[in-house]
Amino acid sequence: MSNQHQKEFIHREEERLQDVLTAIKENEKDRTEKIRAHDAMIRSLERQRYESVNPREKDKLTSEIRRLSAYDPAKYKLAHSSQGEPYFAALSINDNDPRIGQKTYLIGKQGLLVGTRPLVIDWRKAELSQLYYEYDEGEEYEEDMVGRAREGVVEKKLSYAISRSNLQRIEGTDLIYEKIEGEWTFNGRSLTTQQIKENKGDYRIVDIIALISAEQFRLITKNHLGCTYLTGGAGSGKTTVALHRLSYLVFNHPATFRPERCMVVMFNRALQGYVLDTSRELIDARTPVKTFHSWVEEALARVGNFRGMDARKQQFTELKKSCRMRDLLEAYARQTKPPEMALTDLFQAYSHPQLTKQYLGDTAMVRAFQEHYRGCLAGNEFALDFADKGILLRLIQLRHAGQTIQLGLNWFDHIIIDEAQDLSRIELDCLAAASTDKKSLTVCADTNQRILDFLDDGGFPSFQADLTKIGLDSTELTVSYRSTAQIMALASRVSGRPATRVVKEGPEPRSHAFHTREEAEIALYRAIRALLRAEPKSLTAIVCRYKNEAQELYDRLKSLTGVRLETKTFNFKPGVIITNVHQVKGLEFSGVVLWNPSAKNYPNTTLSRNLLYVAITRASERLATYAYQPLSPLLADRTCATMQPAHE
């Protein structure tokens, strides 16, 4: 393409964007005027009703107000929330139907009508958007659309980066145009999701709708409305597919999937905050995004005053999280009548002389468990610890089978359960029972990423087996989009699982060994200082094994501007965060530093393998280890040895 043609192409694209922005403004003006006129009419009728002394006239005016309220334009003429980025792709086709012929569709996060003409197609209109996601340029298509067979050729596919209503980037099969410092450059390079984040300098923005793969799109838009199980390695897009699928279901089946009756359940508060910050264009504001325990607290509040009863000391967690506890609870609910108080009911189940022995065994721990809760009942001490609340809700569900409890039983049209492998069987049963009888669930799990040592091995597999009996649709995502081939190769060797397919290459992981902690801290200080200068927009995580270790390391590095300690919630701004391994599950960073992954911190156990696998696969581009104690046997001789601190 000549320079003149390139300029003309860019000019046409900029004009196209301005036409769309103008249409959005005109639509918003029309919307505002219609809402203002409607509200004025309602106020006038309400004033007439207030001033009238005739009962019949009052009734007539009330009826008219109700009739007009059903046609409130604020309900059906929605504001265009994506004005700053009105579309992200263009699809040009040549359809065999002469009434359609050559046509270009713009695809965005929200549709835009000008009169009855669609100017931008919502990506969730799968009959059209599938041509963009599932076909290559020059490929012939044959699909059913709007009840009619359509055939033709996909002539061109373009993707756009539009920021604050300004066109910044255009990418096609054989062209990449990028605007740098106000000037257009040609023949650039494709950007990964991580590079897009770095360019924006905000890691909360996970705009991947334009980057969905054909495999992911088919999962998002498939017609199966029951239980869906998504598994796959780290970075394969399980959570991404689940969130987009929920958005697709609510958009296309609003009567079946009411947004306020759907729920997203995340593993911890860091992931909860991540989804809340990044997915509100996907997930309706009325849809709750919760951790399991925050949801349980709200559900329990609907049936009794159970808030504020969370004892700090956790007791008998391994027993309470076991599959055997689930069997005990179900047998207890079948064989006994409930007392007046739900807490009494729970503690009687814990201390039942025959059932606890039958289902939990006759061990010293079980006898101590029984004795403890007998004492609680005798002394009217009903403090709940962290693990009790899910069991209490499950017992209430069993006692009220067939009924509906707001938030707690037969309530949700669809539930996403993320990181399901780290929930106990009772907790998984709680969530399943909270859905309606359609049992519409999307369950995301990877057993190789289970990181809680007090869970037994049978919980999630038995839950999966029970869902299969009612029609579970299982899919494994096979491509990793997050980490480089080099990082995933190390993760594969550490975990013992086969290497997954990846889409990008990068540098080898680096390993740095030191004689003392002080030497390691000095080297890391210098490396982080250099990194912050060289890559001010990147986000790097230093992952420690424990929270106290993270606090100690932060105390050594906090004089560096841009270094933060984050062990509960994350703000995802550029810089360097220091955290512990349990907090990074489900998150991703440009780079990861494993701090002192020693044999003591990560012995040769299944749990350590899983923890290291999770930590390693948080890195998108770069990975390094800094160790001052003998390296974990899971990592020894498996990283690329170098004594040069990274970025120095």
Side-chain angles (χ1 to χ4, degrees):
M1 186 182 292
S2 68
N3 286 341
Q4 183 60 32
H5 286 153
Q6 289 174 345
K7 291 178 181 179
E8 291 174 358
F9 172 78
I10 293 295
H11 180 67
R12 288 196 302 271
E13 291 295 342
E14 290 180 327
E15 280 191 332
R16 190 207 303 264
L17 175 58
Q18 290 307 311
D19 289 343
V20 172
L21 293 174
T22 298
I24 291 174
K25 290 178 182 178
E26 290 176 351
N27 270 21
E28 184 60 25
K29 181 180 177 181
D30 178 66
R31 173 180 177 274
T32 302
E33 290 175 352
K34 282 184 166 56
I35 291 173
R36 187 181 294 119
H38 175 271
D39 291 348
M41 176 65 74
I42 294 294
R43 285 194 300 270
S44 174
L45 292 172
E46 288 175 339
R47 185 167 54 252
Q48 293 176 47
R49 182 176 62 181
Y50 175 76
E51 294 172 351
S52 175
V53 294
N54 186 325
R56 289 186 178 180
E57 185 180 14
K58 279 182 175 288
D59 289 343
K60 184 178 179 181
L61 289 167
T62 298
S63 178
E64 180 65 6
I65 289 170
R66 288 175 178 169
R67 186 187 71 82
L68 289 176
S69 295
Y71 299 97
D72 185 352
K75 297 178 181 178
Y76 63 86
K77 292 183 73 66
L78 301 178
H80 203 282
S81 60
S82 301
Q83 183 171 348
E85 189 180 356
Y87 54 90
F88 59 80
L91 170 75
S92 296
I93 63 170
N94 191 350
D95 199 271
N96 291 350
D97 187 336
R99 292 170 296 181
I100 300 171
Q102 289 186 314
K103 196 171 187 66
T104 296
Y105 298 98
L106 297 177
I107 303 172
K109 303 170 195 173
Q110 183 179 357
L112 175 65
L113 287 174
V114 177
T116 58
R117 180 173 67 92
L119 192 58
V120 178
I121 304 296
D122 193 298
W123 71 271
R124 293 166 291 191
K125 291 284 188 182
E127 290 181 321
L128 274 174
S129 62
Q130 68 175 331
L131 299 182
Y132 177 80
Y133 289 111
E134 297 189 17
Y135 288 86
D136 296 325
E137 284 188 8
E139 192 174 355
E140 295 182 357
Y141 62 83
E142 184 176 348
E143 297 286 349
D144 288 331
M145 299 185 190
V146 199
R148 188 191 315 169
R150 294 266 296 270
E151 298 178 8
V153 176
V154 173
E155 292 193 329
K156 186 171 285 295
K157 291 166 52 176
L158 296 174
S159 65
Y160 302 93
I162 302 172
S163 177
R164 298 179 181 179
S165 303
N166 290 308
L167 187 61
Q168 299 292 332
R169 183 179 175 86
I170 308 170
E171 185 169 347
T173 302
D174 55 357
L175 57 87
I176 298 175
Y177 302 149
E178 190 169 10
K179 197 173 187 179
I180 301 175
E181 296 181 354
E183 297 293 330
W184 283 98
T185 62
F186 308 106
N187 299 321
R189 59 189 178 91
S190 296
L191 299 181
T192 65
T193 308
Q194 202 71 19
Q195 289 165 336
I196 291 170
K197 293 180 187 178
E198 288 188 17
N199 286 347
K200 292 183 176 182
D202 189 345
Y203 282 72
R204 295 171 299 176
I205 301 172
V206 188
D207 187 3
I208 55 81
I209 296 174
L211 305 175
I212 294 172
S213 70
E215 177 191 31
Q216 292 171 332
F217 184 76
R218 284 189 289 269
L219 290 173
I220 289 165
T221 58
K222 65 182 179 180
N223 291 325
H224 181 81
L225 301 181
C227 298
T228 299
Y229 170 49
L230 299 175
T231 188
S236 59
K238 300 181 291 296
T239 306
T240 293
V241 169
L243 293 173
H244 282 76
R245 176 156 177 73
L246 176 57
S247 179
Y248 172 82
L249 291 174
V250 170
F251 181 83
N252 288 283
H253 308 281
T256 304
F257 300 100
R258 296 161 290 183
E260 69 279 5
R261 290 289 191 97
C262 297
M263 179 169 66
V264 180
V265 178
M266 307 306 294
F267 172 68
N268 57 24
R269 282 183 287 175
L271 270 173
Q272 177 193 20
Y274 189 60
V275 171
L276 284 169
D277 279 346
T278 62
S279 301
R280 276 312 181 193
E281 287 184 328
L282 282 177
I283 305 301
D284 191 285
R286 293 168 290 177
T287 299
V289 178
K290 300 287 184 182
T291 64
F292 174 80
H293 291 284
S294 66
W295 162 67
V296 165
E297 287 214 348
E298 286 198 25
L300 287 174
R302 301 289 178 176
V303 293
N305 184 19
F306 300 109
R307 289 182 178 271
M309 303 185 68
D310 199 1
R312 293 189 179 277
K313 185 177 179 181
Q314 297 186 40
Q315 303 181 83
F316 308 107
T317 301
E318 190 171 335
L319 278 179
K320 293 174 181 178
K321 296 276 189 176
S322 70
C323 291
R324 295 174 293 157
M325 179 59 71
R326 177 248 193 175
D327 298 335
L328 163 64
L329 205 66
E330 291 188 349
Y332 172 78
R334 287 194 305 268
Q335 297 178 26
T336 64
K337 292 184 178 180
E340 185 176 343
M341 287 181 57
L343 287 174
T344 302
D345 202 14
L346 176 66
F347 284 20
Q348 285 180 354
Y350 284 166
S351 58
H352 194 285
Q354 289 81 37
L355 293 178
T356 50
K357 183 177 180 180
Q358 178 182 349
Y359 288 98
L360 301 184
D362 188 14
T363 66
M365 178 182 289
V366 173
R367 289 192 293 273
F369 176 70
Q370 288 180 301
E371 190 63 30
H372 174 78
Y373 286 102
R374 286 196 193 103
C376 290
L377 285 168
N380 290 318
E381 297 177 4
F382 294 102
L384 296 174
D385 74 22
F386 202 60
D388 288 324
K389 293 189 176 182
I391 302 173
L392 175 60
L393 178 59
R394 182 63 188 137
L395 182 56
I396 291 171
Q397 290 174 337
L398 291 169
R399 293 299 195 190
H400 294 80
Q403 301 177 35
T404 297
I405 298 174
Q406 186 175 356
L407 300 180
L409 180 62
N410 296 320
W411 182 258
F412 291 105
D413 298 332
H414 189 83
I415 302 175
I416 292 175
I417 309 174
D418 197 39
E419 306 290 358
Q421 76 279 350
D422 277 309
L423 291 172
S424 72
R425 180 60 206 261
I426 283 181
E427 291 166 342
L428 292 166
D429 286 347
C430 259
L431 287 166
S435 66
T436 61
D437 56 7
K438 297 191 300 293
K439 286 293 173 283
S440 184
L441 307 168
T442 299
V443 181
C444 304
D446 177 10
T447 54
N448 287 286
Q449 294 189 63
R450 199 187 86 191
I451 62 173
L452 298 181
D453 56 357
F454 45 72
L455 294 177
D456 53 16
D457 293 332
F460 179 73
S462 65
F463 177 70
Q464 183 183 355
D466 284 352
L467 288 184
T468 301
K469 297 174 186 176
I470 61 173
L472 181 68
D473 185 37
S474 299
T475 301
E476 181 174 3
L477 294 165
T478 58
V479 180
S480 176
Y481 296 93
R482 178 191 300 140
S483 303
T484 64
Q486 290 75 9
I487 291 171
M488 290 306 297
L490 175 60
S492 173
R493 292 194 296 271
V494 167
S495 67
R497 67 187 298 168
T500 57
R501 286 199 298 131
V502 296
V503 297
K504 61 182 180 181
E505 298 285 329
E508 290 288 343
R510 293 184 173 187
S511 180
H512 309 283
F514 304 91
H515 294 102
T516 66
R517 186 172 78 173
E518 184 179 8
E519 288 180 2
E521 289 170 349
I522 291 171
L524 182 59
Y525 183 97
R526 292 171 178 169
I528 294 303
R529 182 177 59 188
L531 173 65
L532 290 168
R533 290 172 180 170
E535 300 182 17
K537 289 187 176 182
S538 69
L539 178 61
T540 298
I542 302 175
V543 180
C544 303
R545 177 64 178 87
Y546 301 105
K547 285 185 178 181
N548 63 340
E549 196 176 30
Q551 179 67 60
E552 291 171 358
L553 184 59
Y554 174 69
D555 290 339
R556 305 297 194 279
L557 302 181
K558 63 184 179 182
S559 61
L560 289 170
T561 302
V563 173
R564 310 185 299 274
L565 177 68
E566 296 182 356
T567 56
K568 290 184 179 179
T569 59
F570 295 78
N571 63 27
F572 303 103
K573 293 179 180 179
V576 174
I577 66 168
I578 302 175
T579 188
N580 61 299
V581 66
H582 281 87
Q583 299 303 313
V584 297
K585 178 190 278 283
L587 307 180
E588 61 181 69
F589 309 91
S590 299
V592 165
V593 174
L594 298 180
W595 176 249
N596 197 35
S598 64
K600 180 181 179 182
N601 281 342
Y602 299 95
N604 191 358
T605 64
T606 299
L607 177 65
S608 291
R609 287 182 183 276
N610 292 352
L611 286 169
L612 278 174
Y613 178 83
V614 167
I616 289 167
T617 55
R618 300 312 96 194
S620 175
E621 307 290 341
R622 300 178 304 275
L623 177 71
T625 62
Y626 281 70
Y628 57 88
Q629 292 175 326
L631 203 61
S632 167
L634 300 171
L635 285 169
D637 299 321
R638 296 181 179 189
T639 56
C640 180
T642 174
M643 291 302 296
Q644 288 187 333
H647 304 286
E648 193 170 20

